[in-house]
Amino acid sequence: AKMKPAEMVLQEPRLKHPHSKLEEQDDSASMEQYLRHKNLVLDFLRSDLNPHHLQYHWNKVHLLKKCYFYLKFEPRHVCVRDQNNMMIFADILQIANPCQLQKIKKVGKKQTEIQLALLTELLEQLERGREELSRYVQICDVETFLSQWDLNLKRVLKLSMFFNKLISLEEPRKLHVKHSLVSQIHLGGALHPPITFSLYTKKPPIFDRIESFACQTWAQLKWFTESQESHLERWQLEIKLVTDDSQTEPGYGRTQEVISNPCVINHLLPGRLYEFKVRRSDTHTLVYSQWHDCIILKTKTHPAEDTKEAPNRSLMRRLTRPTPSV
C-alpha cells in the first residue's frame, strides 16, 4: 500500500532549527569566556592575594612599625672652608645648621608616619578586595559573572595597583626637602653642595627571655640585636619598680645608658617585681621610634634561691635556643 503524503511527512527526519545551533554556539562561547575570566581571577587570588602572602606583608609592616628610622646623608662628608680660609673635608653633621637639621628630621618623621599609615590602609584594602573577589567567583552563575565582568576587571586592576604600591612603600624612601642643611658661614660664599636625604631602618632590640634573669639584689639583661650590630652601639635601659595602686610607697624608676650586652643592673630590692625596657639611644639622625620591648622580672627573696635556680637556667639554655620575635 502506498503511503499517504501526510504519513511521509511524519516519517521524514526532523532537522534542527538554525536558531538552535546559534544558541548552542553562543552558550559554548559564553562558557569559554566565563572559564577564561574566572581562571584569571583565581590566578590573581592564588598569587598576589594569597592569604599566606598577605600575612607575610602584614608581618613585615608590623615589624616596620617597631623599627627605628634614621636620616641618611649622601655624601656624608663635604669640602668647606675653615676659619683660616683653608679647604677641609668635614662631616656633614659637624657643620649642619641645627635648626635646619631639626626641620629635616620633622619632614622625615611625618613621611614615616604617612608611610606606615598607607601600608596599613593598603593591606586592609587588599584583604577586603580578596573577600569580594572570592565571593564573586564562588557564588555567581555564568550569566551574572559575565554581566559583572567589566566591574570586577577594574577591581582586579585596582587591587594589582595597590599591591605594587605596597611593595614600593615597604622600603624607606628618599626625602624631598627644600631646606639647606649647611650654613653659608661654613660654605664661605660657595654653592650649597648637592646633598640627598633618605631614610633607613634598624630593628628594635628584643629581650632574650632565657638569658635575662633576676637574683636577690641584681638582674642580668640580654637582648637580641641585628647580626652586624656595632659593638659601640649605645642602648637605653629603663628600670621601674612595679608597685600596687594600694601601696603607699612611691614608685621607683631610673634610666641609664649602657654599651654592654648582656649587662648587670645592681641595687635592686629583694622579692620585688621590676619592669625593664630597652631601646636604642637617641642620636642626631633618629627621626622616628614608637615601640620598645619590655620584660618583668622578680628578684629573689633569699640568696639561696639564686643557687637553686642556677642549674635549671643552665639546662634551659642547653635545651632551648630562643629566637627573637617582634
Side-chain angles (χ1 to χ4, degrees):
K2 292 184 178 180
M3 298 177 66
K4 294 180 179 180
E7 292 175 344
M8 291 177 65
V9 171
L10 291 173
Q11 295 287 330
E12 291 176 357
R14 293 186 178 181
L15 299 176
K16 290 186 176 179
H17 196 281
H19 289 298
S20 299
K21 288 185 177 180
L22 290 175
E23 287 175 1
E24 286 182 7
Q25 291 174 355
D26 288 344
D27 290 344
S28 177
S30 296
M31 181 57 68
E32 289 179 6
Q33 189 180 38
Y34 164 74
L35 292 174
R36 185 168 61 250
H37 291 171
K38 183 176 181 178
N39 286 333
L40 188 150
V41 177
L42 287 173
D43 287 343
F44 182 59
L45 289 172
R46 291 166 185 157
S47 57
D48 290 352
L49 296 191
N50 181 293
H52 297 293
H53 204 179
L54 290 178
Q55 187 58 53
Y56 164 80
H57 289 284
W58 271 118
N59 294 341
K60 199 168 182 179
V61 171
H62 289 324
L63 176 58
L64 265 180
K65 289 181 176 181
K66 296 177 180 180
C67 282
Y68 291 67
F69 286 72
Y70 295 87
L71 194 61
K72 183 179 180 180
F73 312 99
E74 288 290 344
R76 181 59 188 260
H77 296 81
V78 294
C79 289
V80 294
R81 294 187 181 277
D82 63 8
Q83 296 177 346
N84 299 320
N85 207 30
M86 296 291 290
M87 293 297 294
I88 59 170
F89 203 50
D91 187 317
I92 199 91
L93 283 177
Q94 293 178 342
I95 59 174
N97 184 318
C99 293
Q100 296 295 75
L101 179 60
Q102 289 303 315
K103 290 179 181 179
I104 294 171
K105 287 172 65 174
K106 285 182 180 179
V107 173
K109 181 180 180 181
K110 189 67 177 177
Q111 181 169 304
T112 300
E113 291 171 341
I114 293 172
Q115 174 188 353
L116 295 176
L118 278 174
L119 284 169
T120 302
E121 185 179 339
L122 285 169
L123 277 167
E124 290 173 350
Q125 293 271 14
L126 291 171
E127 293 275 11
R128 284 196 295 270
R130 175 180 171 74
E131 292 175 3
E132 292 168 355
L133 286 178
S134 296
R135 285 197 299 269
Y136 173 58
V137 295
Q138 290 172 4
I139 299 175
C140 290
D141 55 64
V142 175
E143 184 178 352
T144 307
F145 185 97
L146 293 176
S147 68
Q148 297 179 3
W149 173 246
D150 288 342
L151 174 65
N152 283 284
L153 177 59
K154 290 179 182 177
R155 182 176 290 164
V156 169
L157 294 174
K158 186 177 181 181
L159 290 171
S160 180
M161 182 187 68
F162 284 168
F163 188 79
N164 292 332
K165 184 70 172 176
L166 174 77
I167 300 298
S168 68
L169 280 174
E170 284 180 338
E171 297 300 326
R173 305 165 71 86
K174 285 187 176 181
L175 287 179
H176 300 284
V177 296
K178 299 179 181 179
H179 306 292
S180 299
L181 183 59
V182 183
S183 170
Q184 283 295 328
I185 297 175
H186 295 288
L187 294 175
L191 294 175
H192 194 282
I195 301 173
T196 59
F197 304 96
S198 59
L199 297 173
Y200 70 97
T201 61
K202 286 186 178 183
K203 292 179 182 179
I206 306 296
F207 278 117
D208 184 332
R209 261 62 186 178
I210 301 299
E211 297 289 345
S212 298
F213 58 89
C215 292
Q216 187 185 22
T217 58
W218 58 275
Q220 174 181 287
L221 301 174
K222 186 177 181 180
W223 49 91
F224 297 102
T225 63
E226 292 182 295
S227 56
Q228 296 180 343
E229 200 75 63
S230 169
H231 66 281
L232 297 177
E233 187 80 23
R234 293 183 176 275
W235 312 94
Q236 194 175 81
L237 282 174
E238 184 179 322
I239 305 101
K240 182 181 178 182
L241 176 64
V242 179
T243 57
D244 224 320
D245 290 338
S246 61
Q247 292 177 341
T248 55
E249 64 178 345
Y252 164 80
R254 72 176 188 266
T255 301
Q256 66 185 68
E257 195 171 63
V258 298
I259 58 173
S260 60
N261 178 22
C263 70
V264 173
I265 305 299
N266 292 302
H267 310 299
L268 303 180
L269 298 175
R272 301 302 299 271
L273 286 173
Y274 283 89
E275 180 184 74
F276 301 94
K277 297 177 183 178
V278 61
R279 57 171 64 90
R280 294 179 181 275
S281 290
D282 197 358
T283 67
H284 293 300
T285 58
L286 179 65
V287 299
Y288 180 89
S289 68
Q290 292 293 316
W291 184 89
H292 49 264
D293 195 20
C294 172
I295 187 172
I296 294 179
L297 299 173
K298 185 176 182 179
T299 54
K300 305 298 181 286
T301 307
H302 305 291
E305 295 180 35
D306 297 341
T307 56
K308 288 180 182 178
E309 290 203 1
N312 295 333
R313 196 158 48 243
S314 178
L315 178 62
M316 284 291 290
R317 281 198 293 270
R318 291 197 303 271
L319 297 178
T320 310
R321 187 60 265 160
T323 54
S325 173
V326 291

